[in-house]
Amino acid sequence: MLLILISWIYITITTVILGEILNRILRLHVKNITITIVLGLFAITLLASAWAIFGRINWEFHITLLIVNCISFVFLRKNIAGLYRHFLDDLKSMGGPLRLFVGVIALLILSQCAAAPNIIDNESYYIQTIKWLNEYGFVKGVANLHFYLAQTSGWHITQSALNFSFVYGSFNDLSGYCLLLGNVFAITRLSQYFINGKTHYLIVGLLPVANVLLFQFVTAPSPDLPIYVFSFIVFFYFLERFRDINAQTFTLVTLLVIFCLYIKTTAAGLLIIPVFLLIKNFRIVKPVLMRCALLGSIVLGLFLAKNTFVSGHPLFPITGYKFADTDFSLPNHIAKQYYTTTKLYAYFLSQEQFDSMSVWQKFLRWSTLPKLHGFFNKTITGLTIITPLILYRYFNRRELWLLYGVMCIQIALLAVSSPQYRFFLNFVLLFSFCIMAVVLTNHRAILVILWSSVGACIFALFVPLNLSSFTNNKYVTHNSTFSINNIIKPYKNSKYTTDFKKITDHNLHYYSPVNIDFFWGSGDGPLPCINERQINYFSKKYKVLPQQRSENIADGFYAEDITRYE
């Protein structure tokens, strides 16, 4: 826990400097330290993505980053000192209860981050994606080894740049840092609501009420968590400046949406927000269109390069287009299996069952799933129906109606791919808080619900709970609780303690976990690491076997058709 705090202090110093550089380059005139840090995270993500094309994200990257920071600080020290002073002024203006809340929630987030990771995707590909980036950068055809590695989220690139793997091997907590940023941003807005009474300040300021849910995402670098936090920042600026947008706010909103898309393409619905602002305010934003287009082009180029390296498909999981036929491309039928697996997971159906159902039957199946999935799916359905009534009665403002429309389009886009509730959660929270804002108009009532959320977080953090009532996933039936052993050092990156056996299959030399019964699981094994069961399954069902392109695994992998061996 203490080591995480030290790493976060360094991350703050670094991201504030890089964020201020980006702030000046784009002429955003940002004076908020939280937004500046987010800009810094974005800058680091871009730098690390470009770096990973040529080599590993390791100590060499950090030395370069340190040199850039030191030189930049000399020229920007007055601006940076001003950001810190402004932040301290914000804290002073909050009042005692809210300042105390920020301190307590920061301590609780640190404690949760120090606990054992409890996201099952961490064991299947988060750890391994980040490890490949730290040791080799983008590796050609690494998706042939484990097709989930084809995802390589922008957030995992950010984590690989800020986990200091060359110093310590158990920093895996950037999502917790992001949640802390979200809480600080929200509480600052809530403090301002107590003065100006503007409803959208309250709606965004209620984000910490969801901490007990969001805490479950912070023990591993889940790409979903930054989407939620950055979405709320986008929502705030969209609502705040809808009627008097300026070029700087448009650029900031566009940058945040681009960042979200680079982290996870399931956030595609957010793209409607800057597009609408562009159409509505073309004359105002025209002067910054070129820099926004350039920024978008850089991110798109990095996105295409990343996907081409790791899977051979620039638009993965879309497989219809390639820059060139490469020997390391993930076979089309395997890439399609990834898409199918993701889609069917939202319904818990087999392909045969899914194909035999009508659209209505699929909707009924989706909305009546048991436990947590069913609860949120019903919530999404209910909010879609109820929200127009709430907006019409209490918040009949065009900007909120537009966000409701964005939510509906997001639902439509994901309905044809993978309508998992976590892909909608940013909008679920937004419009749930709209409903809460109807009731919570009293200062004291707002503080009561905030501190009640803190109590729920404390309970979940220190009391072991059986979560089988909420999920059928046997790998996440217990919450991750804090241990006194983690006050100094955080729990290791993987919740599994296992040995790994080295296996040779033709020219592929890999490590397989001995005691992990999770089919997709590879834990924190040495590279290259993959579950032997996966190798056997894909070789039998799809007649492919991953092979090394050379004796050096840095040269990547290809999928060999093994029918010729039969």
Side-chain angles (χ1 to χ4, degrees):
M1 182 175 159
L2 180 60
L3 291 181
I4 294 175
L5 175 60
I6 294 170
S7 74
W8 284 5
I9 291 171
Y10 179 79
I11 289 172
T12 300
I13 294 170
T14 298
T15 51
V16 166
I17 295 173
L18 290 176
E20 182 59 22
I21 293 173
L22 193 58
N23 184 22
R24 292 172 69 86
I25 290 174
L26 297 177
R27 301 173 189 172
L28 296 176
H29 307 305
V30 169
K31 296 182 180 179
N32 181 291
I33 196 168
T34 305
I35 303 301
T36 305
I37 290 172
V38 174
L39 293 176
L41 291 172
F42 181 64
I44 286 175
T45 304
L46 297 188
L47 291 172
S49 297
W51 188 283
I53 295 173
F54 304 100
R56 65 181 188 169
I57 303 173
N58 211 285
W59 64 266
E60 304 93 338
F61 176 80
H62 280 274
I63 291 294
T64 304
L65 205 60
L66 183 61
I67 293 171
V68 171
N69 279 337
C70 291
I71 295 173
S72 301
F73 180 77
V74 173
F75 295 98
L76 300 174
R77 59 186 182 277
K78 290 184 179 179
N79 304 71
I80 292 168
L83 286 169
Y84 286 113
R85 282 196 300 269
H86 192 272
F87 174 64
L88 291 175
D89 289 340
D90 283 343
L91 284 179
K92 291 176 183 176
S93 66
M94 281 182 186
L98 290 183
R99 277 201 304 273
L100 180 61
F101 179 89
V102 171
V104 170
I105 207 64
L107 184 61
L108 292 177
I109 291 174
L110 275 168
S111 301
Q112 185 69 73
C113 287
N118 199 40
I119 299 178
I120 195 61
D121 285 345
N122 185 60
E123 308 298 338
S124 61
Y125 74 100
Y126 290 3
I127 296 172
Q128 290 295 311
T129 296
I130 293 164
K131 184 171 281 194
W132 278 106
L133 290 166
N134 283 147
E135 297 190 21
Y136 297 101
F138 294 140
V139 173
K140 293 177 180 178
V142 71
N144 288 302
L145 194 65
H146 190 319
F147 66 27
Y148 283 159
L149 295 176
Q151 298 182 77
T152 307
S153 164
W155 193 242
H156 293 145
I157 297 171
T158 319
Q159 177 69 85
S160 72
L162 295 171
N163 66 348
F164 315 107
S165 60
F166 56 95
V167 175
Y168 185 68
S170 295
F171 289 138
N172 205 35
D173 314 291
L174 193 61
S175 288
Y177 182 74
C178 185
L179 181 59
L180 179 57
L181 293 179
N183 272 260
V184 171
F185 182 84
I187 293 300
T188 304
R189 305 287 85 73
L190 190 59
S191 174
Q192 293 168 344
Y193 165 75
F194 292 148
I195 298 171
N196 62 32
K198 294 181 180 180
T199 306
H200 61 278
Y201 280 74
L202 172 59
I203 293 170
V204 172
L206 289 173
L207 179 62
V209 173
N211 277 336
V212 68
L213 171 64
L214 300 180
F215 264 41
Q216 307 314 308
F217 294 89
V218 304
T219 53
S222 167
D224 295 307
L225 198 285
I227 298 297
Y228 307 150
V229 171
F230 300 158
S231 291
F232 264 71
I233 297 175
V234 169
F235 296 155
F236 173 77
Y237 283 106
F238 179 75
L239 295 171
E240 173 74 358
R241 302 306 302 268
F242 178 78
R243 300 181 190 280
D244 61 341
I245 191 76
N246 57 36
Q248 291 75 29
T249 302
F250 173 77
T251 304
L252 176 60
V253 167
T254 302
L255 181 150
L256 291 171
V257 170
I258 289 172
F259 196 7
C260 287
L261 288 174
Y262 192 56
I263 290 171
K264 202 156 190 174
T265 54
T266 53
L270 293 174
L271 190 59
I272 298 167
I273 295 174
V275 170
F276 176 83
L277 290 175
L278 169 62
I279 296 171
K280 179 178 178 289
N281 307 280
F282 181 77
R283 290 185 179 180
I284 296 173
V285 304
K286 184 179 178 181
V288 298
L289 284 183
M290 186 60 70
R291 71 185 68 158
C292 290
L294 179 60
L295 186 66
S297 298
I298 291 171
V299 174
L300 177 61
L302 291 172
F303 176 80
L304 297 175
K306 165 182 73 72
N307 286 352
T308 299
F309 267 87
V310 300
S311 72
H313 299 276
L315 299 174
F316 182 86
I318 299 172
T319 58
Y321 176 78
K322 293 181 183 179
F323 291 129
D325 288 325
T326 60
D327 67 310
F328 58 84
S329 292
L330 187 68
N332 285 345
H333 63 292
I334 302 296
K336 289 176 181 176
Q337 177 60 28
Y338 163 84
Y339 176 82
T340 300
T341 300
T342 305
K343 177 181 66 178
L344 295 178
Y345 180 76
Y347 299 91
F348 293 93
L349 293 171
S350 66
Q351 184 68 61
E352 293 74 17
Q353 291 172 320
F354 183 85
D355 291 338
S356 67
M357 288 183 171
S358 66
V359 173
W360 177 247
Q361 288 172 324
K362 291 170 185 173
F363 171 74
L364 288 179
R365 168 69 180 178
W366 176 82
S367 59
T368 57
L369 286 172
K371 303 187 178 182
L372 201 61
H373 284 270
F375 170 78
F376 277 108
N377 292 348
K378 292 181 184 71
T379 301
I380 292 165
T381 304
L383 279 174
T384 305
I385 297 169
I386 294 172
T387 296
L389 303 176
I390 298 295
L391 294 184
Y392 181 77
R393 175 65 178 84
Y394 298 101
F395 310 113
N396 201 3
R397 294 163 51 187
R398 189 182 178 195
E399 51 268 39
L400 277 168
W401 281 107
L402 286 167
L403 289 180
Y404 173 74
V406 174
M407 180 182 75
C408 292
I409 293 171
Q410 176 85 347
I411 291 172
L413 290 173
L414 291 172
V416 297
S417 55
S418 181
Q420 298 180 43
Y421 75 85
R422 57 197 176 97
F423 301 158
F424 306 106
L425 200 53
N426 49 353
F427 288 103
V428 170
L429 294 176
L430 174 69
F431 289 108
S432 296
F433 296 152
C434 281
I435 296 172
M436 290 177 65
V438 174
V439 180
L440 292 175
T441 56
N442 181 274
H443 187 149
R444 181 172 295 180
I446 294 169
L447 291 178
V448 167
I449 196 168
L450 273 182
W451 285 102
S452 297
S453 72
V454 168
C457 291
I458 292 173
F459 183 79
L461 181 59
F462 292 100
V463 179
L465 301 172
N466 188 334
L467 303 178
S468 57
S469 298
F470 299 96
T471 178
N472 289 324
N473 191 330
K474 67 178 182 178
Y475 301 108
V476 289
T477 54
H478 293 86
N479 59 321
S480 181
T481 56
F482 180 74
S483 168
I484 194 81
N485 297 325
N486 302 125
I487 289 180
I488 305 296
K489 296 181 180 179
Y491 196 91
K492 56 192 178 63
N493 288 348
S494 172
K495 68 178 180 179
Y496 291 114
T497 300
T498 185
D499 293 325
F500 295 84
K501 59 180 180 180
K502 188 172 184 179
I503 299 174
T504 297
D505 200 337
H506 293 75
N507 85 338
L508 175 67
H509 310 283
Y510 69 97
Y511 295 87
S512 176
V514 175
N515 297 318
I516 297 179
D517 61 346
F518 176 38
F519 178 80
W520 301 108
S522 50
D524 197 12
L527 301 180
C529 186
I530 186 171
N531 198 311
E532 185 181 14
R533 292 166 59 198
Q534 281 186 65
I535 296 289
N536 295 336
Y537 174 80
F538 278 88
S539 63
K540 289 178 181 178
K541 184 168 183 178
Y542 298 105
K543 305 302 181 183
V544 293
L545 180 69
Q547 293 288 279
Q548 296 175 198
R549 298 177 72 230
S550 74
E551 286 300 312
N552 185 357
I553 61 173
D555 292 328
F557 304 87
Y558 69 96
E560 184 168 17
D561 183 351
I562 61 173
T563 54
R564 64 190 184 92
Y565 296 135
E566 297 177 350

